Structure formats: C-alpha cells, structure tokens
Amino acid sequence: MKRNTFFLALLIIAIFFQSELYAQKSPIFEMRGVWVATVVNIDWPAQKGMSVEAQKADFIKLLDMHQRNGMNAVFVQIRPAADAFYPSQYEPWSEYLNGKQGLPPTPYYDPLAFMIEETHKRGMEFHAWLNPYRAVFNIHNSSISPSHITKIHPEWFVTYGTTKYFNPGLPEVRAFVTRVVKDIVTRYAVDGIHMDDYFYPYRIAGKEFPDGKAYQQYGKGLSKDEWRRANCDSIILNLFQAIRAANPYVKFGVSPFGVWRNKSQDPEGSNTKAGQTNYDDLYADILLWLKKGWIDYVAPQLYWEQGHKLADFDTLLAWWNAHTYGRQLYIGQAIYRAGSNAAWRNPNEIPNEIKAIRSYPTTQGSIFFSSKNFENNPNGWADSLRYDYYALPAIVPPMPWIDSTKPAAPIFAKSGNNLFTIHYNGKIPVKAFAIFALPENVDAKLEYASLIQLLNSDKQVVYERKQALVPSNNRLFAAVVSEHNVLSNWVELK
C-alpha cells in the first residue's frame, strides 16, 4: 500500500512539473512554517506523561508530516507558562511534558536539544516560541512547582481572570524574561526566538488589569496607556539587544493579533472594526518595533476569512504589506478554523489566501496555526500544499541585515549515465545543495528558474539526472545554501 501511494505521489508531482513548473507559482524563497503548541498539549506531546520514547516518536511523526507537506520551519512553544521544555536554571520543567511541573523526563533527555536536532536533520528551521508574560495558565488546576518563579517572587505577579501574569510594569520582570531568553540563545542552536500576541492580556469585560501599584511607582507622568506601551517597548528592545549580543544570527520575531489599530482610532490604522487591537488593548506598538528594527519579522495572525465584515483578510493583508518597514512579513493562517462556518468549509479559502499572499513581493510566506489540524487533512488543505502550492521546495528567506555573505559556488564531477557528484569546498558553513531547472533557450537567471530539490548536506551530494522530474531538454543548475539561507552562485550540471 505504501509503495502504491509513493508512486501515485510521484505521478502527481511529475504531472505538476510538466504542466506548471515554469508558471512561477512557487517562490524560491518562502517561509512555510507551522506553530506547534504545547500549552494544554494542543499539538505536542499528544498528552501529559507519555514515555520518553513515545514523546520522541510523536515529535518525529509530526516533523515527517510537515516535511511531506512542504514546510521548512516549525515554531515550537518551549515556554508556555514560565516553565520549560528544556533543563533551565530559571524555570521548572513544564507540566505538559510529564504531567507535573518540575518533573524531569525519565529516562532523562533534553527535549529541546532533541527537537532541534530532528528538525535540522530535515533541513527545517527551529524557532523557539515563548509566551512572554503568562505565568500560570489556570490558577485553579495548573500544576505549580515549589521552584516556580511565582513561588519565589510572588510580588512580580498579578491575577487577571483565571490566569496569573508577570507584571510587565516591573523592571525586574523584564530583566528576568531577558535572562531566560539569553540562556536559550546561548545554549541552543535555535534559528529564531518567537513571541506570540500575549503581552498585556486581552481585556476581560468589566475588569481592569491590576497593575495600579506598579503604575504609581513607575508611571513617571505618562498616562497609563502610554506607560503600558512603554513597558512593552522596553521588553522588546531588551530582548533584541540580548539576542544580538548572545548570537547575532538568531532571528527575533513577534506574532501579534491581526489588527494594529482600526482606522476609526488612527488614520494610519486598517479599515477594520476589531473589538480589540494591539495598540489600544494589548499595548503592543508593533509598528514602532518594525520602524526601529527591534524585530526581524512580524507574523500577524490573520485568522479571519476573505470577505469578513469586520476584519477582512485581504484588507489586512494589504495593510500589513504597506507597514513592514523593510522587515520580513509572514502571514499567520488559520487552518484550525476549518469547518467553523461557511467560509471555512470552502476548500478554496486557504489556497486563495496563499495566492493573495504571493501577489505581494513584501510578504515572505506563511505560518499555520496549528500542527495537529493538519493530521486529518481538513478540506484537503494538506494535500493542496503537498501536491500543489508547496510541491516544489523553498528556501527560508535570508535576512541581509543579519547575514548577506554568499558562500562559494559548488564544484562537480560527472560520470556515466548523467551522474553528478557535487562538492562544496568553501569556508562559509552551508546546510543544503539546491538544484534548479530551467527550460532550454531561456536566459540562465534565477528569476526564470524553478527550485526543484533541496538536498541536505554540508559537503557533498550525488545527483542523478533522472531524479529531476522535468523535461529532458531542461538545463539543470546546482548551488549551495548557507546556514543563514544565503544562496551561492550556481553552476550548470552538464
């Protein structure tokens, strides 16, 4: 059965190559990410208290699924509530790993190191997703270790609704979160640090966030709203500086709520009618962070469908594209909403969103929420990615302000039957060999080519012409991709 499925997949891909390879449907550089949520075991591990072998097998299965679907990055929640999916001197083991906060894996292993290694084996990027200020997910039933920071420094925290939060107005809180992030970047080969939308929490009707005491102490003449925004600005700047100092190649990005401000609140805002916004309710001035260059990318959560009356996907897509300030823009897409209303029962919703995203040169890709939703192939969307929109591979877009150094081009030797041994002898570390196809009688320029394969290796690969499911008269080229996604010049395989 597996063999038949494999050959059917090859046939579908071959037909795709023959008919549409050069229509440039598939960008050479594109973020194709997926969020992997660990809080309350949304995506991984499947449940609390799984054996170590079951945890590992579950994550490998998850990665393999996303690799088949064409993804090139995972954004894994490693700190859901001031806890850790790795050994930390600052925070206890997460309850979502072993069922009780503070309980290490038995037999012992480092889940973060394991996840990074398995992700990189597949040529994918690993971004460490942290919730900045949530400390206790549910004050009524969350497991809390005696070593948890809420026990050590209870004065740093406030309760709002059923959740306990760090108080963002306290300098010592911002310093603590910065130390946590610096520790991760220093010890682990993460490709990025990723913050979600929970800075100040979403408003609860009729309840004020209880930070009045901190405001009296630190407000310094600012209005409370201005002071709260300044607190968020401070933590972002602190984190940016700490990451750059610890490892200047690690990316730093934020995934905010999809609306910065409504136009009714600000002429610069979007033509939307969102009930809450980043600027006015979460106190996150995303545009300032982009303008200042304190974040490398923004991934707004555009979880409304095309044509939504209050927050239309296309309206927001256009707005964010007009406000990138030279940083990268990835669009958060809502595969989790499949079947939730008529729009999300439409199998064309996600494909049409991808087409819209690709129509803007200022958008560099997508991140999907969340991993588990791909398992049942809702509306056929996993198949749409695997066999159509993500059938060709893509390189995660490089960030020239982080690294623009081009590696040396590869060299190759040809033997009988169109067999090529392709070597890389340069000094800049690389992670993959890229194979491109180009129709005959077309200028040998990257913009006319299609990236048909990425082969994970830092030294050498062996490539046979028949591996390329393209017409026999196509020209083939090879290049290498640096660890920071910079592409070398190519050489023609002939």
Side-chain angles (χ1 to χ4, degrees):
M1 183 65 183
K2 287 183 178 178
R3 184 179 178 87
N4 290 339
T5 303
F6 172 75
F7 283 112
L8 176 61
L10 283 182
L11 177 61
I12 292 171
I13 293 172
I15 292 170
F16 166 80
F17 279 131
Q18 293 288 339
S19 61
E20 298 198 59
L21 182 58
Y22 304 112
Q24 285 299 304
K25 282 182 62 178
S26 186
I28 290 171
F29 296 98
E30 186 174 50
M31 169 58 75
R32 299 172 179 177
V34 60
W35 279 293
V36 180
T38 58
V39 66
V40 296
N41 300 95
I42 291 174
D43 293 314
W44 181 85
Q47 60 189 37
K48 297 178 184 178
M50 295 171 67
S51 70
V52 167
E53 289 309 308
Q55 289 173 7
K56 290 181 176 181
D58 195 28
F59 192 75
I60 287 172
K61 180 182 176 183
L62 178 156
L63 283 181
D64 288 344
M65 173 181 67
H66 294 310
Q67 185 180 34
R68 289 192 301 270
N69 289 341
M71 299 297 181
N72 56 23
V74 289
F75 293 72
V76 182
Q77 190 176 34
I78 67 164
R79 183 187 184 257
D83 53 2
F85 275 75
Y86 59 96
S88 169
Q89 63 177 309
Y90 300 109
E91 295 176 320
W93 289 97
S94 176
E95 70 169 296
Y96 305 119
L97 190 64
N98 296 310
K100 182 180 179 181
Q101 193 175 79
L103 189 66
T106 305
Y108 181 84
Y109 84 115
D110 183 337
L112 180 53
F114 167 78
M115 290 189 290
I116 292 170
E117 181 181 5
E118 290 294 329
T119 301
H120 286 168
K121 272 184 193 175
R122 290 160 177 79
M124 302 165 75
E125 286 198 348
F126 186 97
H127 292 246
W129 164 19
L130 293 81
N131 188 286
Y133 285 143
R134 184 169 60 211
V136 177
F137 183 76
N138 188 305
I139 57 173
H140 300 302
N141 55 34
S142 290
S143 172
I144 306 173
S145 164
S147 65
H148 194 253
I149 192 67
T150 57
K151 300 291 188 182
I152 298 169
H153 285 288
E155 72 279 8
W156 290 1
F157 299 90
V158 295
T159 299
Y160 189 55
T162 59
T163 303
K164 187 169 284 190
Y165 297 94
F166 285 91
N167 187 339
L170 300 179
E172 52 267 45
V173 160
R174 298 193 292 272
F176 176 80
V177 174
T178 302
R179 286 196 296 273
V180 169
V181 171
K182 182 179 179 180
D183 177 54
I184 295 166
V185 173
T186 302
R187 292 198 290 133
Y188 292 95
V190 296
D191 297 290
I193 292 291
H194 181 79
M195 293 287 176
D196 55 29
D197 51 326
Y198 294 94
F199 287 90
Y200 281 83
Y202 289 88
R203 291 185 189 272
I204 300 172
K207 292 188 177 182
E208 176 69 8
F209 188 75
D211 59 351
K213 184 178 178 181
Y215 174 57
Q216 289 178 358
Q217 185 175 0
Y218 296 107
K220 297 180 181 178
L222 297 173
S223 71
K224 185 174 278 190
D225 285 3
E226 291 171 334
W227 172 72
R228 286 173 173 171
R229 276 189 288 275
N231 294 333
C232 290
D233 296 342
S234 295
I235 187 64
I236 291 296
L237 177 58
N238 291 351
L239 291 173
F240 172 74
Q241 292 174 335
I243 292 166
R244 283 292 191 268
N247 186 339
Y249 298 112
V250 172
K251 308 166 194 178
F252 179 37
V254 173
S255 174
F257 179 68
V259 178
W260 176 70
R261 297 191 89 185
N262 296 310
K263 187 172 281 188
S264 61
Q265 300 162 302
D266 189 318
E268 196 173 6
S270 54
N271 187 20
T272 50
K273 297 178 181 178
Q276 299 196 48
T277 70
N278 282 294
Y279 186 91
D280 298 285
D281 300 284
L282 306 180
Y283 305 101
D285 189 358
I286 314 297
L287 296 197
L288 176 68
W289 308 344
L290 289 166
K291 290 174 184 176
K292 294 286 190 179
W294 295 344
I295 55 177
D296 298 304
Y297 68 85
V298 63
Q301 299 170 24
L302 302 194
Y303 293 166
W304 304 275
E305 66 268 16
Q306 292 179 314
H308 191 281
K309 292 181 181 179
L310 302 180
D312 170 50
F313 178 90
D314 290 327
T315 297
L316 284 164
L317 175 63
W319 187 89
W320 282 103
N321 272 278
H323 295 85
T324 61
Y325 300 99
R327 288 326 205 201
Q328 289 189 356
L329 170 63
Y330 315 139
I331 301 301
Q333 291 188 260
I335 192 171
Y336 78 95
R337 294 207 57 195
S340 59
N341 64 25
W344 291 100
R345 288 189 289 273
N346 179 0
N348 294 317
E349 178 64 34
I350 291 288
N352 286 342
E353 290 180 7
I354 292 174
K355 291 176 186 175
I357 288 166
R358 287 179 172 177
S359 72
Y360 289 92
T362 40
T363 301
Q364 283 78 30
S366 302
I367 311 175
F368 294 86
F369 188 86
S370 68
S371 177
K372 190 168 288 293
N373 295 279
F374 283 93
E375 292 178 2
N376 296 323
N377 191 23
N379 291 329
W381 288 336
D383 286 345
S384 292
L385 297 182
R386 186 180 305 181
Y387 299 124
D388 191 348
Y389 296 94
Y390 292 178
L392 291 174
I395 303 166
V396 172
M399 294 180 174
W401 57 91
I402 287 180
D403 187 10
S404 60
T405 308
K406 183 180 288 193
I411 58 176
F412 70 93
K414 182 181 179 182
S415 54
N417 299 318
N418 283 319
L419 192 68
F420 299 92
T421 302
I422 312 170
H423 301 266
Y424 174 70
N425 296 327
K427 296 180 180 179
I428 296 171
V430 300
K431 62 182 179 181
F433 288 75
I435 307 297
F436 296 88
L438 196 69
E440 63 177 345
N441 302 320
V442 172
D443 287 347
K445 294 182 178 179
L446 191 64
E447 59 263 35
Y448 302 142
S450 291
L451 175 61
I452 59 172
Q453 281 184 278
L454 280 174
L455 307 170
N456 299 325
S457 175
D458 62 351
K459 296 267 189 249
Q460 174 182 306
V461 293
V462 177
Y463 190 77
E464 192 170 5
R465 168 78 205 208
K466 67 181 181 181
Q467 288 178 247
L469 297 174
V470 295
S472 59
N473 60 0
N474 278 203
R475 301 163 67 188
L476 297 182
F477 296 80
V480 289
V481 183
S482 80
E483 287 186 347
H484 306 127
N485 305 307
V486 182
L487 191 67
S488 75
N489 292 332
W490 64 17
V491 293
E492 185 170 1
L493 302 176
K494 59 181 181 178

